Amino acid sequence: MEESNETYLSDWLADKITDEQLQQLVSADEFEAFQKIKSALIGFEITQPDLEQNFRAIKHKLADKKQAKPKIIPIWRYASIAASLLILFGVYHFFIAQNEITTGYGNAEMITLADHSKVSLNAKSTLSYSNIFKYKRTLQLKGEAFFEVEKGSPFTVETSLGRILVLGTKFNTIAFDDFFEVKCYEGKVQVTSKGQSTILTHGESVRYYKGTAENWADETSNKPTWISGESSFKKVPMRYVIEQFKNQYNVAVDYPKSIENIKFTGTFTHKEPTVALQTICLPLHLKFSQNSSGKIIISE
């Protein structure tokens, strides 16, 4: 049956039979299919190939191929390229690549640097420095850290709000948004922020907040209290006290905007969130509660 249909199609395409004759020989579906084939073939013309022209083109390409010399890259050149890539990779890794350490909620970490200086990194803080730190003692800090610096070449801590330059000392630095504070525990540091420069010695502190600078001095221990599990504050805006609470306990806190700039002096523990909230809120006559989702709500 298929052979008959093929014969009918070829005869119809060659105009040997009419449309009416074809309709009598095949089904309606087959006739519709034949019409689609004929429509697709309209304007399609198969021409005879120009064998002589094609033969000349092939001969021309073969002649060009004989004349062309193969391109040979000496093996030493490959070795040179590979060596250059290795050198570039080594230079990047040694001079440019950065080391970055970030702590999570409620976690502190001790880092010993290549020059044997030590950095205690508080919760939710980031410290970064290059592989050549031993030769150029510069690092970057976001958050809070306590530095115990070995004597040697200048040691610089850079933050988004200012920089600290030391020769050998112990100091604590906080750098959050527009809040920048440095406290010297031993030796001497030079703090520079927005063109203002201050030199601190043992027991002295400086704070830059909203374009103002504040200095004070007090008796102090040899380390900040947060290292032993307790955050301490002296006239610190409540928004940063609450931020530190969130960093330690990984909890959302909602509070009225009216209290964010109230100055807080006191401490809170890193071991028990309810006790910490009591020591933050009770001195300021604030109330707190926790909703079903776990968020802390502070109210006046």
Side-chain angles (χ1 to χ4, degrees), residues 101 103 109-113 117-121 127 129:
I101 300 162
T103 52
E109 186 170 341
M110 167 73 80
I111 302 107
T112 300
L113 301 170
S117 295
K118 293 181 174 60
V119 183
S120 298
L121 197 61
L127 184 76
Y129 55 93

Side-chain angles (χ1 to χ4, degrees), residues 53-109:
Q53 182 179 353
N54 290 346
F55 180 69
R56 286 198 302 270
I58 292 170
K59 285 177 67 179
H60 181 70
K61 287 185 176 181
L62 289 173
D64 287 345
K65 191 172 183 180
K66 287 180 180 179
Q67 293 175 3
K69 294 182 179 180
K71 187 175 181 181
I72 300 174
I73 300 177
I75 192 168
W76 62 264
R77 186 171 296 179
Y78 285 114
S80 177
I81 293 170
S84 298
L85 291 174
L86 285 173
I87 290 171
L88 287 174
F89 176 79
V91 168
Y92 171 81
H93 182 73
F94 187 75
F95 289 100
I96 301 173
Q98 288 285 106
N99 300 288
E100 185 172 287
I101 300 162
T102 299
T103 52
Y105 288 102
N107 294 322
E109 186 170 341

Side-chain angles (χ1 to χ4, degrees), residues 73-183:
I73 300 177
I75 192 168
W76 62 264
R77 186 171 296 179
Y78 285 114
S80 177
I81 293 170
S84 298
L85 291 174
L86 285 173
I87 290 171
L88 287 174
F89 176 79
V91 168
Y92 171 81
H93 182 73
F94 187 75
F95 289 100
I96 301 173
Q98 288 285 106
N99 300 288
E100 185 172 287
I101 300 162
T102 299
T103 52
Y105 288 102
N107 294 322
E109 186 170 341
M110 167 73 80
I111 302 107
T112 300
L113 301 170
D115 66 341
H116 304 297
S117 295
K118 293 181 174 60
V119 183
S120 298
L121 197 61
N122 203 353
K124 292 301 292 178
S125 300
T126 299
L127 184 76
S128 58
Y129 55 93
S130 73
N131 283 340
I132 61 168
F133 174 81
K134 186 175 181 179
Y135 308 97
K136 185 182 179 183
R137 303 199 300 172
T138 299
L139 43 74
Q140 295 75 42
L141 171 69
K142 180 178 181 182
E144 182 172 11
F146 175 63
F147 295 86
E148 299 175 83
V149 180
E150 290 291 317
K151 292 183 178 180
S153 60
F155 186 106
T156 304
V157 179
E158 297 176 340
T159 76
S160 61
L161 299 170
R163 60 198 294 267
I164 304 103
L165 176 64
V166 303
L167 292 175
T169 189
K170 297 179 181 179
F171 63 98
N172 193 72
T173 300
I174 305 173
F176 288 117
D177 298 332
D178 58 353
F179 184 88
F180 181 37
E181 181 180 293
V182 180
K183 184 170 186 177

Side-chain angles (χ1 to χ4, degrees), residues 226-282:
W226 65 261
I227 291 179
S228 56
E230 189 175 77
S231 291
S232 299
F233 307 90
K234 182 173 182 177
K235 298 181 180 179
V236 174
M238 273 293 287
R239 58 182 290 202
Y240 290 105
V241 176
I242 294 173
E243 195 65 30
Q244 292 283 43
F245 174 84
K246 290 162 58 179
N247 288 345
Q248 294 298 333
Y249 290 105
N250 188 19
V251 62
V253 180
D254 191 12
Y255 59 93
K257 190 174 179 63
S258 58
I259 72 167
E260 66 177 14
N261 288 314
I262 294 177
K263 301 295 178 65
F264 174 83
T265 297
T267 63
F268 71 74
T269 179
H270 298 173
K271 297 177 181 179
E272 174 53 54
T274 301
V275 175
L277 283 169
Q278 288 173 343
T279 57
I280 292 171
C281 295
L282 293 180

